[in-house]
Amino acid sequence: MSILLKKHKDISGFIFINVTRLLFLMLILMLAFILIKIIVEGFSVISWEFISSEPKNNMTEGGIFPAIFGTVAVTLLMILFALPLGIFSAIYLNEYAKDSVFTRIIRTAVNNLAGVPSIVFGLFGLGFFILFVGKNLDEVLQTGLLFGQPALIWASSTLAVLVLPIIIVSTLEALNSVPKSHRDASYGLGATKWQTIKNVVLPQARPGILTGTILAISRGAGETAPVLFLGAAFFLPNLPIVDLCFGDYCIPMINPGEQFMYLAYHIFILATQSSNPTKTMPLQYGSTLVLITLTFLLNITAIIFRYRFRKILGRL
Amino acid sequence: MKETKITVKNLNLFYGEKQALADISIDIYSQRVTAFIGPSGCGKSTFLRVINRMNDLIDDVRITGKIQIDGIDIYDKNLDVVNLRKRIGMVFQKSNLFPKTIYENLIFGPRINGIKDRKVLDEIAEKTLIQAALWEEVKDRLDDPALSLSGGQQQRLCIARALAVEPQIILMDEPASALDPISTAKIEELIDELKKNYTIVIVTHNMQQAARVSDYTAFFYLGRLIEYDKTSRIFTNPSNRQTEDYVTGRFG
């Protein structure tokens, strides 16, 4: 019986666990350092005026409202383009397309697309949306130079292409995780394929799709490189807004043809292109804090939706 | 007085090159319970899924032979498979309720059939729950998640959900294999009650269950129908030696 009392020494296991622990700790510390630094330095800058006014005095003073507005506008339009396209592509790939060499190539391509550097997407957006789509629209519609120039809509479209793989991949996973037995139940009750997808598969896939949306928002709102070519302005005090009027009644709408300021790009400008980088340091911290908070708020909205859907599904 | 509901003649089924069912001919009677027994992989579940064409959902399945329900060839090119499945309810081995409320599960079938009137749906829900002997247990909690029910209740709710599309035939694929004896007894009582109005086909691994609930029993082995007769005869005086070996537990 003595062998039962002898403790087994698992040295490699011990080392492995502690190395992982250490690495985890390092990661948390780095993240905490960045966040704390930004919050501490940025918090004192943030005021209602900082959030609600435009930059002043050669961008060394004043607020960042146009950049906040631009970021929200671009990100919202991006999701508007990317979400339906991504979801329907994923539904087609997962539910309708037969497994063939062709669909496998598409799947691989989608996965690889997620790894392409964002500057490449920027160049793609410039080449495709502005120089090809825009210029040709101008020529066909005889509009001079209306579509063929950097604008909010092209920035959103390009970011939509950039986040499309994220949405497709997470939707595919969500669709795949719906149990076959639930589809069988639906077919057994006489549902057609589309009824099954609409009533059984999609409701269960919603939390997963929203996870993809959350990731996409964070990615899109934080990108700098793609918007560089596509309409992000150095300094633009007026907002990309147009009044849509029905008789006397007007509603302000996002103007997709305007250029815009973008938070991530604004921070880059303040840090590298400013006439006085030291003086703008607090503004940089403030803007960064606002960008992080904004992404967080957009995320929270999606997370609240996901929580609700999960609750409906009884998964909580 | 027995009427033939389902007629199968010389049915063969292939998965790709592999033959899963060979030369099956059988008459299944209306308002009777017919049990399919046999060892795992003998084709009884596959055959069950032939009856409501669930095998259509699998690629690479080929079927030859004839299956008629009420004299209509169900593999006819012009037949609408969705309408066929509405006339045939199916209950699976493991409860596959949707992660929705009890009520929403019940009205899933009627709703996809286009019934929108809340009053009609309520009536269907109540009627089918009473039929499935579940009404007393759940009438006050119809809006609770279906998955909060016990395993046995879930399975009876699956039966109720199948009844809600007013089928004529109910196919059950080992409906009680994951349940405790008390829940199993309830399901069996229910089957006994339902056969007054429905044609029931049940696949089971449990020989006592087949003996208890069914009027007719079919013994399958290696994709063939070995013997088909009145249940009492299959279990007391089978004419085939393989059947006898199986029902007495000598193999299987």
Side-chain angles (χ1 to χ4, degrees):
Chain A
M1 286 309 279
S2 63
I3 188 122
L4 289 178
L5 296 172
K6 215 178 116 198
K7 270 215 169 163
H8 189 78
K9 284 204 183 76
D10 181 8
I11 297 171
S12 55
F14 176 81
I15 294 174
F16 178 76
I17 288 174
N18 282 294
V19 167
T20 5
R21 235 177 233 161
L22 195 74
L23 291 174
F24 175 71
L25 203 69
M26 271 168 63
L27 203 73
I28 292 291
L29 279 178
M30 275 197 294
L31 197 67
F33 176 77
I34 296 172
L35 266 181
I36 289 170
K37 177 92 176 147
I38 290 172
I39 292 172
V40 167
E41 300 271 350
F43 200 74
S44 57
V45 185
I46 292 184
S47 61
W48 176 244
E49 209 219 322
F50 182 69
I51 296 175
S52 65
S53 68
E54 59 265 21
K56 283 186 199 89
N57 209 354
N58 224 351
M59 294 209 288
T60 55
E61 285 166 36
I64 52 167
F65 181 66
I68 298 176
F69 185 87
T71 305
V72 174
V74 169
T75 314
L76 284 181
L77 269 188
M78 168 195 86
I79 285 299
L80 208 66
F81 296 149
L83 211 52
L85 200 60
I87 291 173
F88 284 115
S89 311
I91 290 176
Y92 175 73
L93 275 178
N94 203 61
E95 308 290 328
Y96 289 99
K98 290 237 161 66
D99 188 36
S100 67
V101 181
F102 181 64
T103 51
R104 266 184 229 172
I105 290 173
I106 291 183
R107 276 167 192 267
T108 320
V110 168
N111 281 316
N112 285 330
L113 214 56
V116 172
S118 54
I119 188 84
V120 177
F121 280 101
L123 288 169
F124 164 78
L126 180 65
F128 180 74
F129 287 117
I130 297 179
L131 298 178
F132 179 73
V133 178
K135 282 270 191 291
N136 281 317
L137 273 176
D138 278 339
E139 242 170 65
V140 173
L141 302 173
Q142 300 280 313
T143 40
L145 188 66
L146 180 67
F147 295 105
Q149 59 180 342
L152 204 149
I153 188 171
W154 303 136
S156 299
S157 309
T158 308
L159 286 178
V161 178
L162 180 110
V163 299
L164 208 49
I166 302 174
I167 293 175
I168 293 180
V169 168
S170 55
T171 307
L172 278 176
E173 266 164 29
L175 294 173
N176 230 331
S177 68
V178 178
K180 189 179 164 290
S181 65
H182 289 172
R183 297 168 197 260
D184 278 353
S186 175
Y187 289 126
L189 289 165
T192 60
K193 186 157 193 167
W194 172 239
Q195 284 173 328
T196 302
I197 292 173
K198 187 167 75 89
N199 298 313
V200 177
V201 178
L202 278 183
Q204 292 198 53
R206 268 192 305 218
I209 294 172
L210 274 165
T211 304
T213 314
I214 292 167
L215 292 172
I217 290 174
S218 312
R219 176 91 198 267
E223 279 297 343
T224 322
V227 294
L228 208 67
F229 312 116
L230 296 161
F234 187 85
F235 174 63
L236 201 72
N238 41 341
L239 303 176
I241 285 184
V242 65
D243 275 335
L244 208 64
C245 291
F246 305 95
D248 287 341
Y249 188 71
C250 289
I251 2 171
M253 294 278 290
I254 295 170
N255 184 352
E258 281 279 0
Q259 299 208 4
F260 53 90
M261 288 186 78
Y262 206 67
L263 263 177
Y265 182 60
H266 184 64
I267 295 165
F268 168 73
I269 295 289
L270 288 180
T272 62
Q273 318 281 302
S274 163
S275 51
N276 190 348
T278 358
K279 205 177 165 196
T280 62
M281 193 71 109
L283 295 182
Q284 293 169 37
Y285 277 113
S287 307
T288 311
L289 184 56
V290 169
L291 176 58
I292 290 178
T293 316
L294 199 64
T295 323
F296 184 70
L297 284 178
L298 288 170
N299 277 343
I300 282 285
T301 333
I303 288 170
I304 289 170
F305 272 114
R306 183 172 65 178
Y307 176 82
R308 283 207 174 159
F309 289 143
R310 280 196 181 145
K311 207 165 182 183
I312 292 169
L313 295 174
R315 291 213 198 123
L316 282 173
Chain B
M1 277 308 295
K2 63 185 187 190
E3 272 173 57
T4 305
K5 187 78 181 170
I6 308 170
T7 310
V8 180
K9 281 207 181 81
N10 309 111
L11 177 94
N12 293 286
L13 183 142
F14 304 84
Y15 288 123
E17 290 299 302
K18 194 178 155 283
Q19 185 158 16
L21 293 173
D23 200 28
I24 290 177
S25 298
I26 189 172
D27 281 341
I28 293 170
Y29 304 112
S30 188
Q31 285 162 294
R32 298 286 188 279
V33 178
T34 305
F36 292 172
I37 60 170
S40 298
C42 68
K44 55 193 189 307
S45 287
T46 304
F47 182 51
L48 194 73
R49 286 167 164 263
V50 165
I51 299 172
N52 67 344
R53 289 186 56 176
M54 284 296 266
N55 289 316
D56 289 17
L57 304 169
I58 307 165
D59 294 335
D60 220 20
V61 171
R62 196 161 54 83
I63 292 171
T64 66
K66 209 168 207 164
I67 310 163
Q68 293 181 327
I69 295 179
D70 293 333
I72 295 162
D73 179 4
I74 63 162
Y75 280 84
D76 189 300
K77 277 198 187 75
N78 296 319
L79 182 120
D80 181 4
V81 65
V82 166
N83 281 332
L84 174 78
R85 293 203 192 115
K86 282 173 190 161
R87 290 176 56 193
I88 305 175
M90 189 158 192
V91 178
F92 297 80
Q93 184 171 1
K94 273 170 74 185
S95 147
N96 53 3
L97 294 169
F98 304 121
K100 300 171 189 260
T101 64
I102 296 172
Y103 181 79
E104 281 170 349
N105 266 284
L106 281 168
I107 60 159
F108 183 88
R111 193 175 261 169
I112 57 171
N113 284 344
I115 299 177
K116 289 199 183 77
D117 188 346
R118 178 82 191 200
K119 251 175 79 187
V120 178
L121 291 172
D122 285 352
E123 278 164 20
I124 293 173
E126 179 173 348
K127 197 180 99 192
T128 50
L129 280 175
I130 291 170
Q131 271 186 297
L134 201 58
W135 175 248
E136 287 304 319
E137 290 161 64
V138 304
K139 65 178 176 191
D140 298 322
R141 43 192 287 216
L142 290 178
D143 291 324
D144 283 8
L147 299 177
S148 67
L149 296 172
S150 75
Q153 288 173 326
Q154 288 194 20
Q155 199 59 312
R156 276 182 286 149
L157 184 56
C158 283
I159 295 174
R161 182 177 65 179
L163 295 176
V165 287
E166 300 185 330
Q168 298 164 0
I169 301 167
I170 302 170
L171 308 176
M172 297 183 172
D173 193 353
E174 299 184 47
S177 67
L179 300 179
D180 63 83
I182 294 168
S183 305
T184 303
K186 282 191 176 151
I187 300 270
E188 289 178 6
E189 272 169 41
L190 180 58
I191 292 172
D192 223 40
E193 190 59 37
L194 290 174
K195 78 172 183 188
K196 291 174 191 160
N197 299 309
Y198 302 91
T199 305
I200 296 175
V201 184
I202 175 171
V203 165
T204 179
H205 268 294
N206 179 333
M207 229 71 71
Q208 287 83 5
Q209 184 171 62
R212 279 193 303 263
V213 301
S214 71
D215 303 300
Y216 289 83
T217 298
F219 172 59
F220 289 80
Y221 186 58
L222 298 177
R224 287 177 187 280
L225 175 60
I226 304 295
E227 190 169 352
Y228 175 53
D229 210 328
K230 286 203 160 118
T231 299
S232 53
R233 204 175 150 80
I234 292 277
F235 281 91
T236 53
N237 190 18
S239 52
N240 187 291
R241 213 178 58 82
Q242 276 176 315
T243 314
E244 189 178 350
D245 285 351
Y246 186 73
V247 297
T248 53
R250 252 172 295 200
F251 91 102

